[in-house]
Every structure is written in C-alpha cells, then in structure tokens.
Amino acid sequence: DSVTALSFTGSQAATFAGNVELSGYLSVEGTTGNTGVATDRWIGGDGTSGTWFYNVPTGSSHLFAINNSNVLTLSGTASTFAGNILITGTSDEGLRIKSGASNLSYIDFSDADTGTPSGSIAYNNIVDAMTFATGGSNTERMRIDSTGNVGIGTDSPTDYFSGADNLVVKQASGEGGISIVTSDVQTGWLLFADGTTGNEQYRGGISYNHSLDKLYLLSGGSSRVIIDSSGKILLNRSTY
C-alpha cells in the first residue's frame, strides 16, 4: 500500500511499525506554510548523486549533507572536496569540541578502527595545555602550556630556568640539539633583540656565514669576535 499525501498538525503524532520509504522530501512546515521550497525545514535525498541533506530556511544552501562518498558538508557543497568533513561560509567559521572541566578534548589520527591512535592533537582542560602526539603509539612530543611556553620532548617546560623556559627542547636519552639550516652561500642566525628597529633587532647574537666559513659573535649590535675556518680568532676587527 502507498499513501500519496499525509499531513499532521498540532500535537498529532504518527507511528510506523515497518519501513518508511519517501520518494520526495520529509518536510517540517515553516511559519509561511509548506511551500516545498527552502523556506521550510526538510530532509531529503538526491537519488542521482546519492546525497542526503537537511535544509533550514537559509536559501539554497543545506545545513548539512552527506554524499555517497561519506563526505559530511556543513553549510556548503562537497562537489570538489577530497576530504570527509567540509565547513564552508563567507565569514569566520569554526569547529568547537566541548568536554568536561577535568577531561580532554582531542582529535585522533589512526590507520585502524580500534586500538591506540597513531597520533593526536588534544587540549587538557585540567592544566589548560595543548598537546601534540605522534610516533604510532600516540606519544606526546610537544606541549604548549597555559602561559604559552613550548616544550618539545618535555611536558613541563616550566621545570627549567624561568628566564629561558619559553621554548625548551629536551632529549631524555642520547644526544639532542637544534639545527639551523641554510644554503651554502647564506648565513644562519641566532639573535638576541630588545626592539624592532635598527640594531635593536640584533643587539647580541651568533651567526655563521657559510660562504666564508666564519662564525661571528655579536654584542652591542656589532660583530666582536670572528672565528675563521682555520680556527683563527679576530677580536673587534674583521681582518688580520
């Protein structure tokens, strides 16, 4: 049996014991009446593209849609999107994950349906810290704490000297370090600044000129010590 049209108003309810098949849209009547256009709320499917969508009075865009490639689209179209979730809009857009004050909010990355994820991005609401985990075992590698300090290889950068804990790089076992890489004709820098103009940007520092193979030590905004490739040292001068 089939029913060509069915309408319920007020507090009326409908109960179906079997399957319900729709050849059109399931519509919720809006304040202007059921006009069959986007002024009403409705859920429907596109038999050609295999897309299911839910529409609200927002014009021609759908509130969300799921196509036959399992792409979830929020307020837009997934026709050219290669991922699984697309959020679109014409102004600031966002995604919020809310959890308890004593819990984590996180996104997991994995190549399996179960078990420990390969990596994750998480926010720890207990200590107000953002963590990044990798390595196939979801091991924490980097943390940004509640004051903005960054720890790489440590989950507590504030354990170290308070005057230099903005960035802490730790290797728990074996050698560790930071590499500054440039081309063989450029200079790499580590600078100490107290402003943004003139030599305030480089009041002190260490630089290495790869073209000349020379190491420079700077203070007061000028080069004070030069060590050349043979190990010779120049103090407050640039030539021998």
Side-chain angles (χ1 to χ4, degrees):
D1 296 335
S2 63
V3 178
T4 57
L6 195 59
S7 176
F8 300 91
T9 60
S11 60
Q12 292 178 317
T15 301
F16 301 91
N19 297 327
V20 177
E21 181 177 342
L22 302 175
S23 60
Y25 299 140
L26 177 61
S27 228
V28 179
E29 196 172 285
T31 57
T32 58
N34 184 3
T35 62
V37 296
T39 55
D40 294 311
R41 299 173 182 270
W42 44 266
I43 185 170
D46 183 338
T48 303
S49 66
T51 299
W52 281 93
F53 39 79
Y54 173 66
N55 209 86
V56 294
T58 56
S60 59
S61 296
H62 305 313
L63 180 63
F64 70 80
I66 304 174
N67 68 15
N68 57 5
S69 297
N70 294 322
V71 175
L72 171 62
T73 306
L74 305 179
S75 299
T77 174
S79 59
T80 59
F81 181 61
N84 298 103
I85 299 178
L86 172 66
I87 302 174
T88 68
T90 57
S91 59
D92 296 340
E93 310 297 339
L95 177 66
R96 175 173 295 190
I97 301 175
K98 180 183 178 182
S99 61
S102 301
N103 300 96
L104 303 178
S105 299
Y106 58 88
I107 301 174
D108 281 348
F109 305 93
S110 180
D111 55 10
D113 294 332
T114 59
T116 302
S118 301
S120 67
I121 301 173
Y123 193 85
N124 187 323
N125 289 313
I126 302 173
V127 296
D128 278 332
M130 179 78 75
T131 62
F132 301 83
T134 65
S137 57
N138 202 35
T139 302
E140 182 178 325
R141 306 297 185 183
M142 185 173 77
R143 172 176 295 223
I144 305 174
D145 70 16
S146 59
T147 62
N149 295 329
V150 177
I152 299 176
T154 174
D155 60 6
S156 186
T158 53
D159 285 350
Y160 299 88
F161 177 52
S162 61
D165 61 357
N166 301 100
L167 172 62
V168 177
V169 179
K170 177 181 179 180
Q171 177 64 38
S173 61
E175 296 179 335
I178 299 174
S179 295
I180 300 174
V181 182
T182 63
S183 76
D184 58 2
V185 295
Q186 299 296 329
T187 299
W189 300 84
L190 176 62
L191 299 177
F192 306 94
D194 56 17
T196 60
T197 59
N199 64 15
E200 293 175 347
Q201 303 172 81
Y202 50 88
R203 295 301 293 166
I206 302 171
S207 69
Y208 193 88
N209 185 313
H210 289 277
S211 180
L212 301 175
D213 270 338
K214 291 183 179 181
L215 180 72
Y216 296 79
L217 302 181
L218 290 76
S219 68
S222 298
S223 176
R224 305 300 184 183
V225 179
I226 303 174
I227 306 174
D228 69 14
S229 59
S230 67
K232 294 179 180 178
I233 300 175
L234 291 171
L235 299 177
N236 285 321
R237 56 188 297 176
S238 58
T239 60
Y240 300 107

